Amino acid sequence: MNLKKWILSGIFAFILYLVFLSITDAGFTANFIAYICLFVIAGQGWNLLGGYIGEISFGHAVFFGIGAYTVGLPVGYGLDINLLLLVFCGAIVAGLFALIISYPLLRVQGFPFLVGTYGLGIVVKSIVVVSPALFATRGIFLKSYDKEILYPLIVAITIAVIIFVKWLVEQDIGLKFKAVRDVPVAARMIGINIYKTKATALVISAVLTGLAGGLFALYGSFVNPSACFGENTSIFILLGPYIGGIGTVLGSLFGSTIVIILQELARSLIKVNGGHYMLMGLLLITVMMVSKEGIYPGLVKLMGKVKKAGAKRE
Amino acid sequence: MELTGLIQTIFGGIGVGSIYALLGLAFALVFGRLKICSYMHGDLAILAAYMGFFLFNTLGVDPFLSLIVLLPIFFFLGYYIQTIFMKPFMSMEVWQGRYQAQIMVTWGIGMCIMAAEFMIWSGTYRIISVPYRNTTLAFANITIPIVHILSVASLVVIYTVLNYVLKKTDLGISFRACSVDRVTAMLTGINYQRICAIAFGISSSIAVVAGTFYALTNQITPAIGLELTFKGWVAVIIGGMGSLGGVILAGLLVGLVESLTSYFWIPALKEAVLFVGLLILLITRPGGLFKSR
């Protein structure tokens, strides 16, 4: 029942977007919306691992970059393959990579996991930077994809991903995720395989992030190590769900949107070195101090309190 | 000739590793005992390095003399960061997301510090050009920079003093009481929050020493802070999650791995080798190399 509402509002949002596109031709705003959507997809992927399993990853740029490079490399070697097909291949490759890497990574929890994922990011980035076969620091130029097809496609995929994540966390597997996060001991007692559950979350998370990466390659028609594998990519993927509210689908959607908009505003308006870092840091501290769970759950709590107070008065 | 180069590299690695060991010590002090997780000490270290740079360039104060001013300043900085920003999370349990919350707050503060450094000193690489920067001591064919010797010496001194304070003084005893059992410690009249704040202040001061030595051996830029933080944490993980002696050995090991990689292979891959080693360690011994107890 609930899911039907989500699908309907998703379709409505897509129609709204198409109307918007037909009124204003694909200009700056459409471009910017597509850019936000990429990070919303990656943020939803991160949220599956960081929010629902509770393992913070500092290295999601790895999966993002693998998605992007799976699109970029065949083009760089002059192969003529359908780019959209490559985007989905990239998602699958990122998922496979996550499956392999989950073996060492998921043996630890908490911040050793965090340091391990950060290290993974550094390892993959330095391998790409030093190997000429992967075009080193030069990067690869793609021929630009038709914007009028690409932008609606990105928005449609974003909506589909959001609905998929919402559907997933209401299934058995989603409940398992939460059980593993909240009380691991009890989860093991009722027969949940903790390692398998975590690995599932990591792989799905990597697939979504890889999808975002592949779309990023089409969107920017350029892939290079610092844009795809860089630490900043990891940080922006991570910050969105964390500020918006980890463990909630809507929260991380809002969070990613807010973070990207603020970051771009800070870059274009505050013309001071490091201004956007200051803004992000202050935002992070404020959110953590005011409501530990993030903006969206905090707002929901506040609304509940207001309603209760209103009911009491009556 | 070959052998001399190797020994030279090993000594260089120990010198660099002592800086990581200092940072790891700062993390292990608050993490191993009091379960406080910080992700800002690298940024604190770089901030201290920039302050030393500023004092040296404007007033001509030697970085080691400026430590006299910087240590108390950073002690109180750490003290108040703990009392203002970390206090709400001190009563949380680990499964309630205590570490996540602490990581995010300290990382936010670290990001603000980095941004402030970018605003004041911009992103260009800076260097503290003290006269003894390139002074070396020579034994046979091997030359050792005097700064490296000093940093290893200060590591030993800090470790000894910390051990003495933890074992013998009232402060250390109440500190250990808090780490074993928080509630009972509070029942006996120990001010838990104050002990945590003091510990955080001390660990910030250790980060200052690390930052000063880093500035004397490397070029500094604001973005290096996060990198230093992670290297300190690698030392903590290898060292077995908070045993002070293990962290020091692990920090030296990290430095050795880096310098040996640069000597035998491509310098650009030194961090990659380090983290691959970490991943292998996580497979074989998730508890760390030098496990406490």
Side-chain angles (χ1 to χ4, degrees):
Chain A
M1 209 37 216
N2 199 3
L3 200 65
K4 233 181 226 170
K5 227 192 270 171
W6 279 72
I7 295 175
L8 279 180
S9 46
I11 293 173
F12 181 69
F14 187 60
I15 292 171
L16 215 62
Y17 179 75
L18 284 184
V19 170
F20 161 78
L21 261 195
S22 60
I23 296 171
T24 65
D25 45 87
F28 171 75
T29 321
N31 190 329
F32 193 51
I33 288 176
Y35 185 67
I36 291 173
C37 281
L38 293 176
F39 280 90
V40 168
I41 298 176
Q44 294 289 345
W46 186 92
N47 193 27
L48 268 182
L49 187 68
Y52 287 94
I53 289 284
E55 299 283 15
I56 299 178
S57 154
F58 239 87
H60 257 55
V62 172
F63 309 125
F64 194 85
I66 288 177
Y69 265 73
T70 317
V71 177
L73 274 183
V75 176
Y77 281 109
L79 300 175
D80 191 26
I81 309 173
N82 188 351
L83 286 179
L84 282 181
L85 192 70
L86 280 177
V87 169
F88 291 103
C89 283
I92 293 166
V93 171
L96 284 178
F97 183 73
L99 192 63
I100 298 166
I101 210 67
S102 74
Y103 180 67
L105 269 187
L106 287 177
R107 287 172 160 254
V108 286
Q109 297 111 36
F111 58 82
F113 181 83
L114 200 158
V115 176
T117 44
Y118 175 84
L120 187 69
I122 298 244
V123 171
V124 175
K125 190 185 170 190
S126 15
I127 289 174
V128 173
V129 165
V130 297
S131 54
L134 297 175
F135 294 88
T137 46
R138 272 180 302 152
I140 307 157
F141 283 96
L142 283 66
K143 55 176 183 290
S144 65
Y145 206 80
D146 188 2
K147 303 281 183 215
E148 273 161 21
I149 304 169
L150 186 65
Y151 289 169
L153 187 75
I154 289 178
V155 172
I157 289 179
T158 311
I159 292 169
V161 162
I162 290 170
I163 291 171
F164 166 73
V165 172
K166 181 70 187 165
W167 171 82
L168 188 78
V169 296
E170 282 175 359
Q171 301 303 300
D172 279 1
I173 185 81
L175 297 178
K176 274 187 194 173
F177 288 172
K178 285 180 198 166
V180 167
R181 174 190 66 186
D182 290 340
V183 208
V185 181
R188 197 182 293 155
M189 268 165 72
I190 58 168
I192 295 174
N193 185 333
I194 291 186
Y195 173 77
K196 252 187 204 168
T197 316
K198 282 187 178 176
T200 316
L202 179 60
V203 169
I204 298 175
S205 161
V207 166
L208 293 183
T209 315
L211 189 65
L215 289 173
F216 176 78
L218 289 193
Y219 166 85
S221 15
F222 177 57
V223 290
N224 74 337
S226 67
C228 297
F229 288 107
E231 285 138 50
N232 276 347
T233 316
S234 290
I235 287 173
F236 287 130
I237 292 173
L238 179 160
L239 270 183
Y242 221 103
I243 286 176
I246 56 168
T248 55
V249 174
L250 271 185
S252 69
L253 167 65
F254 289 147
S256 301
T257 316
I258 292 171
V259 165
I260 298 298
I261 289 178
L262 275 186
Q263 177 223 341
E264 289 299 320
L265 271 184
R267 270 192 191 160
S268 52
L269 291 185
I270 315 170
K271 290 205 174 69
V272 191
N273 274 332
H276 65 284
Y277 284 119
M278 186 63 108
L279 204 61
M280 291 291 122
L282 288 179
L283 187 65
L284 192 58
I285 298 172
T286 321
V287 167
M288 291 307 293
M289 296 309 291
V290 174
S291 121
K292 276 168 216 157
E293 294 107 350
I295 292 176
Y296 175 70
L299 277 182
V300 168
K301 238 183 227 171
L302 196 71
M303 293 295 276
K305 262 184 201 165
V306 169
K307 252 182 205 170
K308 233 183 221 171
K312 255 184 201 168
R313 212 171 287 155
E314 279 167 17
Chain B
M1 221 37 225
E2 200 44 26
L3 190 68
T4 322
L6 185 65
I7 294 172
Q8 182 86 54
T9 315
I10 288 175
F11 275 113
I14 289 176
V16 176
S18 64
I19 295 165
Y20 301 144
L22 277 173
L23 264 181
L25 206 59
F27 288 132
L29 181 70
V30 286
F31 174 70
R33 306 300 181 116
L34 299 173
K35 302 270 171 285
I36 304 170
C37 206
S38 159
Y39 265 73
M40 52 180 258
H41 279 53
D43 291 304
L44 281 182
I46 293 299
L47 182 63
Y50 267 113
M51 284 186 167
F53 166 77
F54 174 73
L55 286 176
F56 181 76
N57 266 25
T58 51
L59 305 174
V61 185
D62 187 272
F64 288 110
L65 276 179
S66 65
L67 273 185
I68 299 171
V69 191
L70 288 182
L71 285 178
I73 290 179
F74 275 76
F75 176 81
F76 283 109
L77 192 65
Y79 188 94
Y80 286 110
I81 285 175
Q82 167 71 28
T83 43
I84 295 169
F85 293 106
M86 306 282 275
K87 211 172 178 181
F89 310 112
M90 293 308 293
S91 54
M92 280 167 96
E93 294 297 329
V94 172
W95 55 268
Q96 284 172 322
R98 171 189 178 124
Y99 291 149
Q100 278 94 324
Q102 287 174 344
I103 289 170
M104 284 302 148
V105 168
T106 46
W107 185 43
I109 298 170
M111 231 195 285
C112 287
I113 292 175
M114 187 177 86
E117 287 161 6
F118 262 122
M119 286 171 188
I120 301 170
W121 289 287
S122 85
T124 19
Y125 282 89
R126 305 286 181 161
I127 198 164
I128 304 183
S129 44
V130 283
Y132 50 85
R133 192 179 168 107
N134 293 324
T135 316
T136 52
L137 290 183
F139 301 103
N141 282 331
I142 301 152
T143 54
I144 306 170
I146 203 159
V147 180
H148 279 176
I149 296 173
L150 283 174
S151 76
V152 173
S154 71
L155 177 65
V156 173
V157 168
I158 286 176
Y159 178 64
T160 326
V161 169
L162 266 187
N163 253 347
Y164 175 77
V165 168
L166 282 180
K167 294 230 166 84
K168 294 283 156 68
T169 58
D170 276 358
L171 178 70
I173 291 167
S174 39
F175 180 83
R176 280 188 296 151
C178 286
S179 70
V180 175
D181 191 340
R182 191 178 89 210
V183 177
T184 321
M186 281 158 88
L187 281 176
T188 58
I190 295 170
N191 189 342
Y192 178 67
Q193 299 290 358
R194 192 164 155 269
I195 293 291
C196 287
I198 290 175
F200 207 79
I202 292 174
S203 88
S204 307
S205 319
I206 298 176
V208 172
V209 181
T212 306
F213 280 114
Y214 189 83
L216 286 177
T217 47
N218 293 56
Q219 298 175 323
I220 47 176
T221 179
I224 228 100
L226 194 64
E227 209 175 288
L228 274 182
T229 306
F230 274 102
K231 278 183 191 154
W233 273 109
V234 169
V236 175
I237 292 173
I238 296 176
M241 298 296 168
S243 71
L244 296 187
V247 161
I248 289 181
L249 289 180
L252 297 181
L253 189 68
V254 169
L256 269 183
V257 168
E258 285 201 345
S259 65
L260 287 179
T261 314
S262 330
Y263 181 65
F264 284 112
W265 209 20
I266 314 163
L269 279 179
K270 64 179 183 190
E271 277 157 357
V273 170
L274 178 66
F275 281 106
V276 166
L278 183 71
L279 289 181
I280 293 171
L281 187 78
L282 290 183
I283 297 176
T284 50
R285 299 189 64 167
L289 213 54
F290 313 102
K291 208 169 178 179
S292 57
R293 258 162 286 157

